[in-house]
Amino acid sequence: MAEVKVAPRPLSPHLQIYRWTWTMAMSVFHRITGVALYGGIALFAVWLVALASGPRAFDAVQWFFGSPIGLLVLFGYTWVLMHHMLGGVRHLVWDFGHGMEPGVRINMARFTLIGSIVLTVLIWAVAFLAF
């Protein structure tokens, strides 16, 4: 039986070969923020259960969310929500076939990060000024 010669196949690139780009980083952040949204929804469910349980439970949850750690958690959740939303808008634009040019793609990824920070600060500034 004759031996079949197989050409050497190229190895699949791995993380040590890839150079991190803005779009790669924002893709990872989009996935992480998607997972973090589950934790935020769980906190919202705790708040709703406390609201339905009566004044004592609600006051305890309100105390936590009003504490510095609670405010930090809420601030972080706001950023997670804004970042994931802008990442979703970026993907929606791509789904329509726009923004795939290298410069535009990188700028959209940067805008996702910068825009989420600006929106988060703006939301909190408005909230603090309103109350």
Side-chain angles (χ1 to χ4, degrees):
M1 183 177 230
E3 187 176 319
V4 178
K5 264 193 149 175
V6 178
R9 300 185 72 191
L11 294 176
S12 178
H14 45 83
L15 290 177
Q16 294 162 339
I17 291 175
Y18 282 119
R19 184 179 60 86
W20 276 91
T21 64
W22 275 91
T23 52
M24 289 172 68
M26 290 305 103
S27 176
V28 170
F29 270 98
H30 188 72
R31 293 162 202 260
I32 291 169
T33 57
V35 171
L37 287 174
Y38 282 103
I41 291 301
L43 290 175
F44 182 63
V46 166
W47 183 79
L48 285 176
V49 169
L51 180 63
S53 298
R56 283 186 45 197
F58 183 71
D59 287 342
V61 171
Q62 282 293 93
W63 173 85
F64 171 74
F65 284 130
S67 72
I69 291 178
L71 289 172
L72 186 63
V73 167
L74 291 174
F75 186 84
Y77 182 70
T78 306
W79 177 78
V80 163
L81 191 60
M82 293 300 105
H83 191 276
H84 198 77
M85 178 191 69
L86 290 177
V89 170
R90 181 171 53 106
H91 282 273
L92 181 65
V93 170
W94 287 349
D95 288 344
F96 282 99
H98 301 290
M100 297 304 286
E101 300 79 23
V104 176
R105 193 174 64 240
I106 298 296
N107 286 336
M108 287 174 68
R110 288 178 179 148
F111 174 76
T112 302
L113 180 61
I114 295 165
S116 63
I117 293 169
V118 169
L119 281 174
T120 301
V121 170
L122 186 64
I123 289 168
W124 277 76
V126 169
F128 274 114
L129 290 174
F131 297 103

